[in-house]
């Protein structure tokens, strides 16, 4: 009902009230306050407060005027107060978990979260790809422009990675100027195209312009790698990409395939 036009009459009135005060709202006959045709005349609205700021509100309606007693109003205030504490605790737990799971600068997932994600994927998914990324000549950027510009580039690349990968996988801060991408349930050819697209797009989305080198490993259910070997093989492929000219990726599959 609250998504319908009728319900919006009540919601807008309550929102206007809480825009001016944190005090609960107790209306015995709402029909006296609006020119609209309404079905519910008794209203009780209690704010959900977090650190003295309204984070939402609870609203109860009844068709009869003067339906709610003052005692029921006070009882609802007490219930919502305790609910607000529970909601606040839940939000704080979520924020704390995000601090653990996310890198502070780039807002990419932290290494610990990536490890758990990859380990679970290797056990349950049909295939996957892991791309380990390193920014080429990043020390030169920091030495030339300063670490603030270096941080800006890290953020630019992180945003581009998240835009490219979307919800199909995760992007993580590996450490320093290294980042990573993991996508489960992806075919090898698609993984190659995705890695190539990432390498190609970075120079056009960074300022000052930088390139990246990357090491790629793919797997399927016929040949599931050990957890630690995923990172080891990707790191070896990244080393090969660095040594063969940079601004490219190499894939580890027993040999090396290079993308320029």
């Amino acid at each position: 009902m609250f998504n319908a036009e009728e319900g919006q009459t009540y919601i807008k009135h309550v929102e206007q009230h809480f825009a001016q005060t944190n005090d609960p709202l107790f209306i015995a006959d709402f029909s006296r306050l609006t020119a609209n045709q309404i079905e519910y005349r008794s209203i009780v609205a209690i704010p959900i407060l977090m650190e003295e700021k309204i984070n939402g509100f609870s609203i109860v309606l009844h068709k009869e005027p003067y339906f709610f007693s003052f005692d029921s109003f006070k009882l609802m205030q007490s219930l919502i107060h305790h609910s607000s504490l529970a909601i606040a605790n839940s939000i704080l737990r979520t924020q704390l978990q995000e601090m653990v799971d996310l890198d502070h600068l780039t807002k990419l997932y932290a290494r610990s979260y990536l490890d758990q994600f990859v380990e679970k994927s290797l056990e349950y998914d049909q295939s996957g790809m892991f791309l380990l990324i390193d920014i080429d000549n990043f020390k030169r950027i920091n030495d030339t422009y300063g670490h603030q510009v270096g941080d800006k580039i890290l953020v630019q690349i992180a945003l581009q990675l998240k835009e490219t990968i979307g919800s199909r996988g995760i992007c993580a801060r590996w450490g320093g100027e290294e980042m990573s991408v993991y996508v489960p349930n992806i075919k090898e050819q698609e993984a190659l195209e995705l890695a190539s697209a990432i390498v190609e797009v970075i120079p056009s989305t960074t300022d000052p312009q930088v390139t990246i080198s990357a090491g790629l490993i793919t797997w399927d259910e016929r040949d599931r790698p050990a957890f630690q070997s995923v990172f080891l093989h990707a790191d070896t492929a990244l080393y090969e990409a660095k040594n063969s000219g940079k601004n490219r990726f190499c894939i580890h599959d027993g040999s090396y395939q290079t993308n320029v």
Side-chain angles (χ1 to χ4, degrees), residues 120-137:
K120 186 175 180 181
S121 176
L122 288 170
E123 184 176 357
Y124 295 107
D125 291 325
Q126 302 300 310
S127 61
M129 65 164 281
F130 177 70
L131 187 70
L132 183 58
I133 298 165
D134 184 80
I135 303 173
D136 296 328
N137 306 313

Side-chain angles (χ1 to χ4, degrees), residues 66-125:
Y66 298 91
F67 179 81
F68 300 114
S69 67
F70 184 72
D71 286 342
S72 63
F73 171 62
K74 298 300 290 184
L75 174 61
M76 186 171 174
Q77 275 189 281
S78 178
L79 290 172
I80 295 304
H81 173 70
H82 289 296
S83 299
S84 297
L85 292 176
I87 291 171
N89 287 336
S90 177
I91 290 174
L92 288 173
R93 282 196 300 271
T94 299
Q95 291 173 341
L96 180 61
Q97 190 62 50
E98 285 182 352
M99 290 175 64
V100 173
D101 290 342
L102 297 180
D103 174 64
H104 175 70
L105 174 65
T106 63
K107 306 307 179 186
L108 298 180
Y109 284 109
R111 174 73 182 273
S112 58
Y113 185 92
L114 173 74
D115 287 352
Q116 295 173 18
F117 190 93
V118 173
E119 191 168 19
K120 186 175 180 181
S121 176
L122 288 170
E123 184 176 357
Y124 295 107
D125 291 325

Side-chain angles (χ1 to χ4, degrees), residues 231-254:
F231 307 133
L232 175 62
H233 292 331
D235 189 52
T236 305
L238 170 59
Y239 181 79
E240 181 69 15
K242 286 285 189 184
N243 285 343
S244 58
K246 302 181 180 178
N247 190 25
R248 65 191 65 208
F249 78 92
C250 288
I251 180 170
H252 183 277
D253 59 357

Side-chain angles (χ1 to χ4, degrees), residues 93-234:
R93 282 196 300 271
T94 299
Q95 291 173 341
L96 180 61
Q97 190 62 50
E98 285 182 352
M99 290 175 64
V100 173
D101 290 342
L102 297 180
D103 174 64
H104 175 70
L105 174 65
T106 63
K107 306 307 179 186
L108 298 180
Y109 284 109
R111 174 73 182 273
S112 58
Y113 185 92
L114 173 74
D115 287 352
Q116 295 173 18
F117 190 93
V118 173
E119 191 168 19
K120 186 175 180 181
S121 176
L122 288 170
E123 184 176 357
Y124 295 107
D125 291 325
Q126 302 300 310
S127 61
M129 65 164 281
F130 177 70
L131 187 70
L132 183 58
I133 298 165
D134 184 80
I135 303 173
D136 296 328
N137 306 313
F138 191 64
K139 184 178 183 301
R140 187 187 304 167
I141 293 292
N142 283 329
D143 291 345
T144 304
Y145 300 100
H147 288 276
Q148 284 189 327
V149 172
D151 287 348
K152 185 180 76 169
I153 289 175
L154 290 172
V155 171
Q156 290 171 351
I157 294 176
L159 289 172
Q160 183 59 52
L161 289 178
K162 287 192 287 187
E163 182 178 332
T164 301
I165 301 304
S167 60
R168 63 189 303 185
I170 66 168
C171 307
R173 177 90 179 270
W174 187 259
E177 67 267 30
E178 291 185 329
M179 303 181 195
S180 59
V181 168
Y182 187 83
V183 180
N185 298 313
I186 185 172
K187 295 179 180 178
E188 182 177 14
Q189 184 57 40
E190 190 179 1
L192 292 170
E193 293 171 358
L194 184 58
S196 179
I198 290 172
V199 172
E200 184 178 342
V201 75
I202 293 304
S204 63
T205 55
T206 49
D207 180 26
Q209 187 181 81
V210 297
T211 62
I212 60 171
S213 298
L216 174 68
I217 176 174
T218 63
W219 64 272
D220 59 34
E221 56 187 342
R222 295 171 300 176
D223 184 24
R224 294 179 185 269
F227 172 66
Q228 290 297 337
S229 68
V230 170
F231 307 133
L232 175 62
H233 292 331

